[in-house]
């Protein structure tokens, strides 16, 4: 409710579902009710654009039907009017039958940018299984992706303009096939996501909103 009060009219939120619904799936039932109650202020204000269900690299692949069944369980637990997007962290799930399953059950697909490592999803995809496109940039810190002391170290990475430029065509392709596209930068270590967001806005030929432009006295602190 406090978040809703702080944002301007027209602002849209996406909210990640709790780990009990994606990672610790044995606790699914105990998490659903409190979570749905918590997001009600956003639902009532009309500013909840989607929920994000990010599944781990370890999502079971031995029985794909059972795993997809959990996605259906997730979709059925959430009111139909609330969009849900699914993020996979393993390339195994990047296949036609999975995309068809998502489309058939009104589940959106999250395209990701990750380090170029075996097993991680392919680069520069532009899949959309609902009218809302979705891309998450996690950085390409290959050295820290699997070996780190803190999980947050994975996201300590700043993109070059050239790396972000690789996404311009896929993003525009998504925009042509959907009514809305979300681009999220999750490489949040030391504000690197904010700097990369500005680069991406420029590469896409978009105008930076005035409220995001720093004054002279703030510029050094931000950049």
């Amino acid at each position: 409710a406090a978040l809703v009060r702080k944002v301007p009219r027209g602002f849209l939120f996406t909210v990640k579902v709790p780990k009990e619904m994606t990672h610790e799936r044995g606790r699914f039932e105990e998490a659903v009710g409190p979570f749905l109650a918590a997001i009600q202020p956003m639902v009532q204000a009309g500013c909840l654009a989607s929920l994000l269900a990010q599944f781990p690299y370890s999502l079971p692949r031995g029985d794909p039907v059972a795993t997809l069944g959990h996605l259906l369980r997730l979709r059925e637990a959430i009111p139909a009017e609330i969009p849900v997007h699914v993020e996979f962290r393993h390339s195994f799930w990047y296949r036609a039958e999975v995309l068809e399953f998502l489309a058939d059950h009104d589940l959106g697909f999250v395209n990701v940018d990750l380090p170029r490592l075996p097993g991680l999803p392919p680069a520069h995809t532009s899949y959309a299984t609902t009218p809302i496109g979705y891309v998450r940039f996690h950085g390409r810190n290959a050295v820290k992706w699997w070996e780190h002391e803190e999980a947050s170290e994975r996201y300590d990475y700043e993109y070059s303009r050239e790396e972000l430029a690789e996404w311009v065509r896929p993003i525009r392709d998504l925009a042509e096939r959907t009514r809305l596209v979300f681009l999220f930068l999750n490489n949040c270590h030391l504000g690197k996501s904010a700097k990369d967001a500005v680069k991406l806005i420029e590469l896409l030929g978009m105008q930076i909103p005035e409220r995001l432009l720093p004054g002279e006295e703030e510029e050094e602190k931000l950049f």
Side-chain angles (χ1 to χ4, degrees):
L3 287 170
V4 170
R5 291 194 296 269
K6 291 177 182 178
V7 297
R9 184 181 299 275
F11 190 95
L12 296 175
F13 289 97
T14 73
V15 177
K16 183 185 287 188
V17 305
K19 63 183 179 181
E20 290 82 2
M21 296 170 68
T22 55
H23 291 57
E24 301 171 8
R25 292 175 292 282
R27 300 176 61 191
F28 184 92
E29 293 299 336
E30 69 182 73
V32 173
F35 174 66
L36 292 179
I39 62 175
Q40 275 307 299
M42 292 181 182
V43 174
Q44 293 168 0
C47 58
L48 179 61
S50 183
L51 299 180
L52 168 67
Q54 179 211 305
F55 287 90
Y57 180 87
S58 60
L59 185 67
R61 302 184 295 278
D63 186 354
V65 174
T67 298
L68 293 178
H70 179 76
L71 301 188
L72 182 57
R73 180 188 186 196
L74 177 71
R75 176 67 275 185
E76 292 176 342
I78 295 167
E81 64 271 18
I82 301 178
V84 178
H85 280 76
V86 176
E87 176 180 343
F88 298 108
R89 288 288 182 91
H90 196 289
S91 59
F92 175 87
W93 303 104
Y94 278 57
R95 52 181 65 200
E97 55 267 36
V98 174
L99 295 172
E100 292 173 6
F101 177 90
L102 296 180
D104 289 344
H105 295 92
D106 195 30
L107 288 163
F109 186 90
V110 178
N111 302 277
V112 293
D113 188 275
L114 293 164
R116 306 300 189 252
L117 293 172
L120 295 187
H124 315 132
T125 58
S126 58
Y127 298 131
T129 53
T130 66
I132 300 177
Y134 208 121
V135 184
R136 294 187 80 203
F137 294 83
H138 296 293
R140 301 180 183 179
N141 193 340
V143 174
K144 291 289 187 177
W145 195 256
W146 297 126
E147 297 183 13
H148 48 258
E149 294 183 6
E150 300 289 339
S152 61
E153 295 176 32
R154 286 178 163 183
Y155 309 108
D156 182 3
Y157 186 87
E158 182 173 345
Y159 286 92
S160 68
R161 289 183 68 88
E162 291 73 22
E163 288 171 331
L164 291 173
E166 298 168 4
W167 275 95
V168 170
R169 182 62 261 171
I171 290 169
R172 288 179 175 161
D173 181 47
L174 269 177
E176 291 171 359
R177 295 182 285 110
T178 59
R179 63 174 177 82
L180 176 67
V181 178
F182 283 109
L183 309 175
F184 285 97
L185 290 112
N186 192 37
N187 56 326
C188 49
H189 190 77
L190 297 176
K192 292 176 181 178
S193 57
K195 291 189 282 185
D196 286 343
V198 172
K199 295 174 193 172
L200 193 53
I201 288 171
E202 293 173 344
L203 286 165
L204 291 168
M206 301 169 64
Q207 184 175 357
I208 300 175
E210 289 186 8
R211 67 171 62 92
L212 297 184
L213 292 172
E216 291 183 5
E217 72 282 358
E218 298 173 319
E219 186 168 12
E220 184 173 314
K221 287 187 285 186
L222 287 176
F223 298 102

